[in-house]
Amino acid sequence: MAGMQRFCRHLAFCLAIAGLLAAPCLSAAPKQLTVTYDLLQQGVSIGTIKDQLNVSAGRYEINSLAEGKGIYKLMGERTLSSQGQVISNTLRPAHFESRQSKHPNKALISEFDWAKKILNMQIKDEQETVPLTKNVQDLLSVMYCWMWQPPKGKQISLDVATGKKLSLHAFVITEEKTPLVTEAGTFNVIKLADTEGEKTLYLAKEKGYLPVKLIVQDDGKQMEQVITSITGQ
């Protein structure tokens, strides 16, 4: 059960999405998406995630629901939500929440005050404020920002608001020569490998740089998130 908890903490980098055969090719940032995918630990499925993205009138909203399978279902549901604006071809978060049904008193709530350049965080029953840097995403918006600003060059860095702190992440960018085969299809991918060796994210070029697979190394265990379906436009 601890394995799913650790994986959910890395949900910032978790969105494995690609098109079904009946779905249209996503050549531009989408307006509405519903995504489902598997969570695996050591190759065994332990849960599912369903994400919903809506973009309208220069604003976005993302909601994510994670549920365990078998004994992992006893942990309850994990929900993440992010709302904000779409400005200058990027997502600018304004509000982020992380909640777990089994521990309702441990909610993480972040408010992004771009005018004052501060991040206000409610961490369980405590309040903390830190300076807000320019290039910041939260645990959900960071998954989708590639659709507006595809990774360029050989390395990219950005700050991620985890709900407890701002954390700087750097990724080495390479183009994979071998297509990635998944249940949802076969994709030509760009690989983003973090410099700490913990996470590897694969983005499908023909799907507007949407992530199709994530691998997380944590405490000697390998966690994966792999696409199962996507609907929307």
Side-chain angles (χ1 to χ4, degrees):
M1 289 187 282
M4 186 177 179
Q5 285 182 314
R6 290 194 296 269
F7 192 85
C8 286
R9 290 198 297 268
H10 297 291
L11 194 58
F13 306 95
C14 300
L15 179 67
I17 50 181
L20 294 173
L21 292 177
C25 179
L26 300 177
S27 59
K31 296 180 179 179
Q32 185 178 46
L33 289 177
T34 298
V35 181
T36 60
Y37 47 95
D38 278 337
L39 295 178
L40 300 99
Q41 177 176 285
Q42 301 296 97
V44 178
S45 179
I46 64 171
T48 62
I49 294 177
K50 181 178 181 179
D51 288 333
Q52 293 182 302
L53 166 67
N54 290 280
V55 180
S56 178
R59 300 194 64 83
Y60 79 88
E61 180 176 355
I62 312 169
N63 293 289
S64 181
L65 171 65
E67 298 179 285
K69 293 180 179 180
I71 61 172
Y72 294 95
K73 196 174 184 63
L74 299 176
M75 295 177 58
E77 300 175 348
R78 175 70 176 268
T79 60
L80 302 176
S81 64
S82 174
Q83 298 91 38
Q85 294 177 292
V86 181
I87 298 178
S88 300
N89 292 322
T90 190
L91 300 185
R92 176 180 284 188
H95 178 87
F96 170 76
E97 292 188 16
S98 173
R99 298 179 180 273
Q100 190 164 351
S101 61
K102 196 170 183 179
H103 302 286
N105 60 330
K106 295 183 178 181
L108 302 176
I109 302 174
S110 298
E111 301 286 352
F112 298 74
D113 191 332
W114 293 98
K116 296 181 180 179
K117 297 182 179 180
I118 57 174
L119 175 63
N120 297 304
M121 296 177 290
Q122 178 184 323
I123 307 170
K124 301 178 184 179
D125 295 325
E126 300 180 358
Q127 298 286 335
E128 186 172 345
T129 299
V130 297
L132 190 59
T133 56
K134 183 179 180 180
N135 186 23
V136 177
Q137 299 294 329
D138 62 43
L139 286 183
L140 275 181
S141 65
V142 69
M143 301 185 300
Y144 292 85
C145 65
W146 315 111
M147 294 185 289
W148 281 265
Q149 291 187 334
K152 298 180 180 179
K154 296 182 179 180
Q155 186 167 321
I156 190 169
S157 299
L158 72 165
D159 286 310
V160 177
T162 67
K164 296 181 179 181
K165 62 181 181 179
L166 273 182
S167 180
L168 179 64
H169 294 274
F171 295 90
V172 175
I173 304 168
T174 57
E175 183 168 350
E176 293 289 273
K177 296 181 179 180
T178 303
L180 179 66
V181 179
T182 72
E183 180 181 336
T186 300
F187 308 99
N188 295 310
V189 296
I190 296 292
K191 182 173 74 173
L192 276 64
D194 81 336
T195 54
E196 296 182 356
E198 295 180 352
K199 309 173 189 70
T200 304
L201 180 65
Y202 297 85
L203 308 176
K205 295 193 296 181
E206 64 268 63
K207 292 296 181 180
Y209 294 93
L210 299 181
V212 291
K213 184 175 182 180
L214 173 74
I215 299 175
V216 176
Q217 304 290 342
D218 187 58
D219 290 342
K221 295 182 179 181
Q222 178 168 298
M223 309 293 295
E224 297 180 53
Q225 178 175 340
V226 184
I227 174 65
T228 58
S229 69
I230 177 174
T231 58
Q233 59 183 0

